[in-house]
Amino acid sequence: MRTQVAIIGAGPSGLLLGQLLHKAGIDNVIIERQSPDYVLGRIRAGILEQIMVDLLHEAGVGERVAKEGTVHHSIELVYKNTRHPIDVTGLTNGKVVTAYGQTEITRDLMDARQAAGLPTVYEAANVSIHGFDGAKPSVRYEIDGQTHELACDFIAGCDGFHGVCRATVQDSITEYEKVYPFGWVGLLADVPPVSPHAVVYANSERGFGLCSMRSLTRSRYYVQCPIDDKVEQWSDDRFWDELRRRLDPAMAEAIVTGPSIEKSIAPLRSFVAEPMRFGRLFLAGDAAHIVPPTGAKGLNLAASDVKYLSTAFIEHYAEKSDAGIDHYSQRALARVWRAERFSWWLTSLMHRFPDTGGFGQKVQEAELEYLVNSEAMSRSLAENYVGLPLDFGQR
Ligand code: FAS
Ligand code: PHB
């Protein structure tokens, strides 16, 4: 079998890249090790930058997010039991974010790919990549014990943090990593969100809490937990009680609780692998970088990688130019590091760190007090939250 671009991974990165390339007339095959249901079963991101929403429209799958997404013009910061709105839209001359679950994005992209009859190999075992340092890359994989080989011009490693692509070039990579001394317990419930028009970020002496949503009838909440906690230690009652203790009294009173339909614990880490290109192999999304979810940047960074990479492939095939390909890693990493900084900063500001004690809490409260009273600092938060322009910083 042969194609122009072999895409490893059918998460949002791989599916979005596949759709954009298809729209540009570039053949591509996606090879995924899990089943479609398994991929859809992962509960992850919930807040989209406008760049991601625009890309979904460019990919021809923007209809549902336009109809069902909830536009947010602000966020709420809670500290010392008081709530402070940040007018994100006012501080960014009209920019917004949209609440729409990653699961729905994946579903929309999977449906579009299936409708277009594009080749997607699910439940592929023992995927391996070859020849990408030369002119004839290929991908090998097994289906029901039968080995297959896919020849291609390029390989896009969209296979996430635990994928095979970065592992294959491990010796040629410089890694930068910070593991945070805590995790998040996430809970999904079919109850109306306590704050349907703004994500709530709460700093409290007991730890961080976050109130988000998936729709006007489905809510997504998180509480910071010790790094070695197991989800079995978090009953629904314990979760709701702890979340209430981290919010301001009015919000704690207003929250509607209900049985969890999903509950899981995620570790928090910052991670970047440099470079993101190895000959004819390109890494995109979580395969190349991870951010703590505090800043809602992981999925949005995957979107900007895919925008840069799809544009580069289109230039290669349509304009016979490799400028975009040669510039991809440097361009993507510049944006990655800006998001890494913002996510690290917001995580450091909002979470309880075991080793900084009472002094650390007081410094965080002082910084939050300054932030909510300083237009300059609020604007800095707002412009990073909505996402800096794709060409930010380019002279
Ligand atoms: P993914 O990991 O989503 O997809 C990679 C795909 O590759 C998977 O389907 C996997 O099965 C497949 N794969 C792996 N190895 C393979 C192999 N050897 N062969 C073939 N296929 C292989 N981001 C935000 O922006 N906002 C948030 O609020 C947010 N919350 C999050 C909460 C949690 C708990 C987690 C874990 C992440 C969160 N993220 C958030 C980040 C998350 O959304 C990722 O950025 C996003 O899934 C990245 O998408 P992909 O790069 O496609 O990687
Ligand atoms: C979510 O809705 O899952 C979410 C929202 C904002 C964040 C992190 C997660 O910063």
Side-chain angles (χ1 to χ4, degrees), residues 267-285:
L268 269 67
R269 80 173 73 237
S270 300
F271 174 88
V272 180
E274 291 193 7
M276 291 171 60
R277 179 221 178 157
F278 307 84
R280 289 176 174 258
L281 167 66
F282 299 80
L283 302 181

Side-chain angles (χ1 to χ4, degrees), residues 44-47 184 199 201 210 212-214 220 222 293-296 385:
R44 289 190 168 171
I47 294 296
W184 282 10
V199 175
Y201 295 86
L210 188 150
S212 184
M213 60 189 286
R214 291 296 176 266
R220 179 68 167 167
Y222 299 94
T294 321
Y385 193 76

Side-chain angles (χ1 to χ4, degrees), residues 187 189-194 215-221 240 256-259:
L187 181 145
D190 280 333
V191 293
V194 72
S215 71
L216 294 177
T217 58
R218 178 167 285 190
S219 299
R220 179 68 167 167
Y221 294 110
W240 292 119
V256 177
T257 65

Side-chain angles (χ1 to χ4, degrees), residues 21-33:
L21 294 180
H22 168 62
K23 284 279 183 190
I26 298 171
D27 292 337
N28 63 88
V29 174
I30 295 181
I31 298 167
E32 164 61 52
R33 76 174 167 189

